Amino acid sequence: MKFGGTSVATLPRWKKIKELAASRRNQGARLLIVVSALSGITDALWQLSLEKNKSKRMASVGKIDARHRALLADMGVEHTTLLDTHINALCTLAESGPSQRGELVWQAQLLAHGELLSSSLGAAFLTRLGLPTQWLDARDCLSAVTLPDHNERVRLLSAIVDTRFDQTLDKRLCNLGDVLITQGFIACGNNGQTVLLGRGGSDTSASYFGALLKAIRVEIWTDVAGMFTANPRQVPGARLLRKLDYEEAQEIATTGAKVLHPRCLSPLREPRVPLLIQDTRRPELEGTLIGPQVHAHATSVKAISARNGITLVSMESVGMWKQVGFLADVFEYFRRHGLSVDLIGSAETNVTVSLDSNENLLNSNALAALGSDLAKVCRVKVIAPCAAITLVGRGMRSMLHRLSGVLAEFDQLRVHLISQSSNNLNLTFVVDEDVVDGLIPRLHELLITSGALRADDSALFGASWESVYGEDKADVSKAWWHKPAARSRLLALGMEVTPRYVYHLPTVRAQARTLKTLTVVDRLHYAVKANTHPAILHALAEEGFALECVSPGELDRATAVVPDDVPLLFTPNFASREDLKRGLASRATLTLDALYPVAHWSELFRGREIVLRVDLGRGLGHHEKVRTGGNGSKFGLPIEHIDNFLHHADTHDIVVRGLHAHLGSGVLDPNHWGEVYGQLASLAERIGSITFLNIGGGLGVPSHPGEAPLDIEALDKVLREVKMAYPHYHLWMEPGRYLVADAGVLLTRVTQIKGKGAWRYLGVDTGMNSLLRPALYGAWHEIVNLSRLEEEADGLFQIVGPICENGDVLGSDRRLPEPQEGDVMLIAQVGAYGKVMSSSYNLRGDTEEVVLKN
Ligand code: ADP
Ligand code: ASP
Ligand code: MG
């Protein structure tokens, strides 16, 4: 059991350590406890080692001494000789300064004292609490090996230990006792001197011991409940990784997840010792288990990590092309300066490599010396500080198609290097260091929404960090259909007839009321294309919503269903002359988004007031098919055509009263609408006749468990701010999906199950004919077996319909209980773009709709 710096820094943590150790003893295990230095102490010792002034060094020792004595007093231990011995040794070292044995040797000895002191405290405390614990000097057990290319710095400060199973060690320890405590971070060098295992190396000590002793298990106890899909301090929505194999965990650790030292997995791989990471403060949380066996799961990105402090060395030489041995010459210089190369990119006349500061103990001298050597054979450019962002997951190459939205985020950034590891486990981007903090949370979110990180696979991904440690976020168990009364109603409906859409009107109304809290929005239009069911139109009109239609058919439906005083907007795209005539004949306000109608059919609009939809040059949204801006999209008038449009309008006595833009769907960032308002307002200032701005819809609804919903309060704040800058325009919006998505579910029944190799197909009685979104957008919808909601979901299924199309897949790699023919399945969040997109393909019958009024 290894306890990290924060786990050994206070009395309450030591009490936990005692409990955990005692419980392992009760299970009959022998126990070796490996401890880090108290948090902050290694840093303090490092500073001390750089201090030239002796009295300042002694003052630092005084502080370190006081910190340990204070904890000892908290522990109720009066005195321990071990602590005194190590404090005295530390004093002597600080007093003498770097001896004739060399600065690095001295530094290693000094830094070793953090762990020597913490383990002394631990031995005294555990023994006092009735768990006799023997102190062990790690340097008597762990021997460093010297590899030929290790320079002195590496040998002394970042040593490697031989980990072949050692039976004599096991016997020796057995004779010492059943509970032992020792130091992380330190080992014995080949001349008997103290060596260190690199910063954060206590994890590695634990696994060296684990391998040497063939332990049952290595447990890493730290300040977080395991390895997460991203650094949880940076990405609160990061999900716990419940189980990992050695290779993937290794990759995550190497590429920046500080929770495990990158060197600590390889010693365990061959003896197949599992490693468990848990939170000392909250041992009841399940943690991450890393081991040889991992069950079948969806192909998925497992984590995104980042490493700062990356230096790129770009080597340019015209003479390099086909010149035998150039790389050998160049790399020889890296070897000579003890610098290990991480990523490599090459072109005809350029090779660029990255150096990782953690691996290289980089100092500017080494880099400068390398530079002047390399200058002999090529032109050198050093690019720093950079950061490497890495996506990790087995089979990365087969996931590229899901990464388009993620890659789009790199749009405006300087990407210096892209590297795809030959083991197919990672994809790395080197960018400027200053962009990383903002980028990682966004990329993590996109990985989930694009389905590249399959956070829905509960066998693999556990709770999000914030749901365990922070405030609660979106959770399906809060959905209306999850409540017991609704479930039994839905089950009864599903047993009667399937397939069937069911809409819950109270949910529609609740969403509508949430939007009505937006204080500066003057008019909300429901975009009826999302769901044209009369009951929904009616309910939303009652809630005070206007309606937005995109076709004569929708206009007819709206006029038939809602009272005449409900305002209508008609926003067609590539509408025919006939369509526009029909629109103009209705009471709707017409929006145009092209030059052609005003240039060729101007007489239709003479004397009328219209809205102009512009293309702000970029699109947004959860899938390329829903991004409705930029040259790749057919919507909106390009800005460069506006003057021409206005000229036609002027000539034909057409007044442009409103400006409109809608960039796409599924947007969860409130700032987006503020930007649209700002851009439209500055265009409107130029035009003069404008009185209102329609900033579109696209308000996202989180679909994946744990995803944060759109913050409406934040949206309100954003809108209030932009409205203050341009207060003279009325503000309109046109949400669709936001109002109705969660209100609808699709009920369908299990027809049959088919096994094919490792794949299991679960057939249901409808497919893409009823619900097109998964096939069209790769959209993810929660799917549950309503008949077995309480049963353990341990099978992995592809949920498919009866349509003769390979794309007829409603959900892939879903974790579900063992199904039976006739079970009622529920597909969630289909109130928007469900029924309205359905077809009669394969002449499958119509899917009926049921409305629940309460
Ligand atoms: P210890 O002192 O116990 O060794 P560390 O500070 O070395 O603890 O490692 C734990 C920290 O690692 C966490 O508090 C977290 O900030 C950081 N970390 C970075 N990436 C990850 C990740 N992917 N999963 C979990 N923790 C991470
Ligand atoms: N105390 C050492 C450090 O801070 C080793 C560790 O905590 O893992 O780097
Ligand atoms: Mg650590």
Side-chain angles (χ1 to χ4, degrees), residues 372-570:
S372 60
D373 270 352
L374 286 174
K376 294 175 197 156
V377 288
C378 56
R379 257 197 314 276
V380 192
K381 194 164 108 199
V382 172
I383 309 170
C386 295
I389 295 179
T390 305
L391 310 182
V392 181
R394 185 173 294 291
M396 193 49 104
R397 282 175 217 138
S398 65
M399 288 182 254
L400 292 177
H401 64 288
R402 292 195 220 141
L403 296 177
S404 63
V406 179
L407 299 182
E409 279 300 297
F410 288 96
D411 185 22
Q412 306 292 327
L413 303 177
R414 287 203 304 163
V415 178
H416 299 294
L417 185 72
I418 299 180
S419 147
Q420 199 267 314
S421 67
S422 50
N423 59 10
N424 204 6
L425 276 167
N426 89 43
L427 184 61
T428 297
F429 304 88
V430 180
V431 294
D432 291 330
E433 201 177 76
D434 55 358
V435 302
V436 170
D437 286 347
L439 195 58
I440 296 284
R442 177 88 190 110
L443 292 178
H444 185 267
E445 184 187 324
L446 284 170
L447 283 170
I448 294 184
T449 49
S450 65
L453 194 158
R454 292 293 311 270
D456 58 296
D457 187 347
S458 54
L460 204 62
F461 298 98
S464 70
W465 183 86
E466 65 193 339
S467 71
V468 178
Y469 296 94
E471 53 189 282
D472 228 5
K473 283 285 161 70
D475 173 2
V476 283
S477 65
K478 295 202 187 101
W480 65 270
W481 51 263
H482 217 277
K483 309 224 156 51
R487 266 157 60 185
S488 40
R489 255 166 112 188
L490 289 168
L491 259 181
L493 284 168
M495 297 304 286
E496 233 171 64
V497 176
T498 48
R500 217 172 202 188
Y501 275 100
V502 184
Y503 307 131
H504 189 239
L505 281 190
T507 300
V508 178
R509 289 184 189 273
Q511 291 295 93
R513 285 170 196 171
T514 307
L515 285 191
K516 285 198 289 186
T517 62
L518 292 170
T519 46
V520 290
V521 178
D522 299 291
R523 209 199 263 179
L524 285 160
H525 302 81
Y526 165 52
V528 306
K529 63 179 182 291
N531 188 326
T532 45
H533 195 284
I536 288 181
L537 302 192
H538 196 74
L540 285 169
E542 271 182 5
E543 293 295 332
F545 275 66
L547 302 181
E548 187 252 336
C549 304
V550 295
S551 70
E554 286 187 359
L555 277 177
D556 291 347
R557 168 72 58 94
T559 6
V561 173
V562 301
D564 289 346
D565 59 348
V566 174
L568 301 181
L569 246 183
F570 182 42

Side-chain angles (χ1 to χ4, degrees), residues 2-7 36 200 203 220-224 226-233 241 252 256-260 303-305:
K2 177 261 172 177
F3 294 91
T6 46
S7 302
S36 285
D203 300 331
I220 301 289
W221 290 88
T222 180
D223 59 359
V224 60
M227 196 175 244
F228 281 71
T229 53
N231 181 355
R233 320 270 170 204
L241 289 155
I252 299 172
K258 182 183 166 225
V259 64
L260 269 193
I304 175 165
S305 27

